[in-house]
Amino acid sequence: MAEDDSLGAYLRACRQRVGPADVGLPVHAKRRTEGLRREEVAVLAGVSVDYYTRLEQGRDQHPSPSIVRALAVALRLTPAERSHLFLLAGLTEPQSYTSETRESVRSLLDTLMPDPAYVVTPPGDFVAWNDATSILWIDPATLPPEHRNLAWMTLMDPRMRELWIDWESIARETVAYLRAAAVRYPDDRRLMSLLAELRAESTEFVDWWNQNDVVVRRSPRKRFAHPTHGEISFTNESMELVGEGLLFMVYVPADAASAMVCRTLCDKPHDTRRLRAVESTG
């Protein structure tokens, strides 16, 4: 994992994704490899070819903030990619998170019924969720604690492939998110364990991980294939809980028909399974 996450490997991957025409350089002949040459990146960033080569080869892993900014411009990095590059260069302190959330947040989840909503840790472990999540999706409480994880469910649970109409797009988003999280939380044992398991069990994960993508290209709509009610469309909103480092996510019906299905499926008495499930994650 360390080699895949290195500054040099990421610079190389970004360089190979940018063509000469993208940065205003002339293209005279077919190149043996895709992307920019090292000397071209060096010129664009205002550094020596030798220094840039040392960065890619891992012989210098601590560039200054000004050099990282110049490289980000030269490689036409997006804001997410730029932040990732700074993290790899050791210029941002690793972040932390909690493993439980406030009771007020749990109450908020219930007020959002019948819209599915939940809270997860950066590695994707479920901390709390409402009944709509269990009814319309897959109940996390039915899974072993180690697999009560959004990323694992998306990539490894065959039911998710049937549930998500655009499964591959969602799965790729998940891998891109995990790659960024691995740099934000490099010492997190739970995250490293999850990545090792996915690497060992999913060839798709390995392929997508090796693409070095950290840009979360969120689909405008998330489409579910309900077994009895057909397609249900949602828009997905997410936010980080300040002071906890947890991710709060809610799925809002994208149209009247989808909203009606949610109300129909959730408009019946429910037990306290959500509260028991929350307690069992501790």
Side-chain angles (χ1 to χ4, degrees):
M1 298 295 292
E3 182 178 354
D4 288 340
D5 289 333
S6 71
L7 174 63
Y10 189 64
L11 284 172
R12 186 164 53 253
C14 292
R15 172 170 62 84
Q16 293 170 348
R17 290 201 296 260
V18 181
D22 297 329
V23 293
L25 295 176
V27 181
H28 298 298
K30 184 176 181 180
R31 300 184 173 214
R32 289 177 296 177
T33 59
E34 295 182 358
L36 296 174
R37 298 188 177 104
R38 285 175 177 170
E39 55 266 30
E40 291 171 334
V41 175
V43 169
L44 290 168
V47 300
S48 70
V49 177
D50 178 68
Y51 179 71
Y52 180 76
T53 300
R54 293 204 309 271
L55 287 176
E56 274 204 6
Q57 293 178 345
R59 291 183 286 133
D60 189 325
Q61 300 184 25
H62 302 287
S64 68
S66 61
I67 289 178
V68 174
R69 284 193 292 270
L71 288 171
V73 173
L75 295 170
R76 301 175 64 86
L77 301 187
T78 65
E81 291 170 332
R82 175 190 173 101
S83 297
H84 191 66
L85 184 63
F86 269 84
L87 285 167
L88 288 175
L91 296 174
T92 301
E93 290 293 327
Q95 301 181 36
S96 61
Y97 61 90
T98 63
S99 58
E100 58 183 27
T101 191
R102 303 181 300 276
E103 182 59 37
S104 59
V105 174
R106 298 180 183 180
S107 298
L108 177 59
L109 291 173
D110 283 336
T111 65
L112 292 171
M113 289 283 291
D115 298 347
Y118 54 83
V119 176
V120 293
T121 65
D125 291 327
F126 279 86
V127 173
W129 60 94
N130 63 11
D131 280 330
T133 301
S134 302
I135 295 168
L136 295 165
W137 201 23
I138 294 174
D139 189 353
T142 62
L143 298 171
E146 66 272 18
H147 290 161
R148 203 172 295 162
N149 176 278
L150 184 61
W152 188 93
M153 291 167 65
T154 300
L155 292 160
M156 301 303 300
D157 194 320
R159 292 175 295 178
M160 296 295 280
R161 293 176 184 255
E162 299 178 0
L163 177 66
W164 292 110
I165 294 176
D166 304 306
W167 177 83
E168 182 173 334
S169 175
I170 302 299
R172 284 177 175 271
E173 287 181 8
T174 301
V175 175
Y177 170 80
L178 287 177
R179 174 169 277 284
V183 177
R184 293 181 68 192
Y185 307 94
D187 300 319
D188 189 82
R189 293 183 179 180
R190 167 55 182 156
L191 179 55
M192 294 302 110
S193 174
L194 173 66
L195 294 176
E197 181 179 2
L198 292 174
R199 179 177 287 274
E201 298 185 9
S202 172
T203 57
E204 291 164 318
F205 171 81
V206 173
D207 290 342
W208 296 332
W209 180 272
N210 289 338
Q211 293 178 16
N212 279 275
D213 192 0
V214 297
V215 183
V216 181
R217 301 181 179 89
R218 296 194 179 279
S219 305
R221 286 196 178 192
K222 310 290 186 182
R223 301 188 299 154
F224 288 20
H226 192 274
T228 58
H229 289 76
E231 180 177 325
I232 312 175
S233 295
F234 295 91
T235 58
N236 174 221
E237 298 295 337
S238 62
M239 64 201 78
E240 186 172 304
L241 297 178
V242 177
E244 297 181 0
L246 301 174
L247 192 64
F248 187 105
M249 304 188 73
V250 58
Y251 290 78
V252 180
D255 50 57
S258 296
M260 178 61 71
V261 171
C262 290
R263 288 195 297 269
T264 300
L265 291 173
C266 296
D267 188 20
K268 56 184 178 180
H270 301 293
D271 56 26
T272 57
R273 59 183 167 181
R274 185 190 66 79
L275 295 179
R276 294 200 302 268
V278 169
E279 292 170 358
S280 69
T281 63

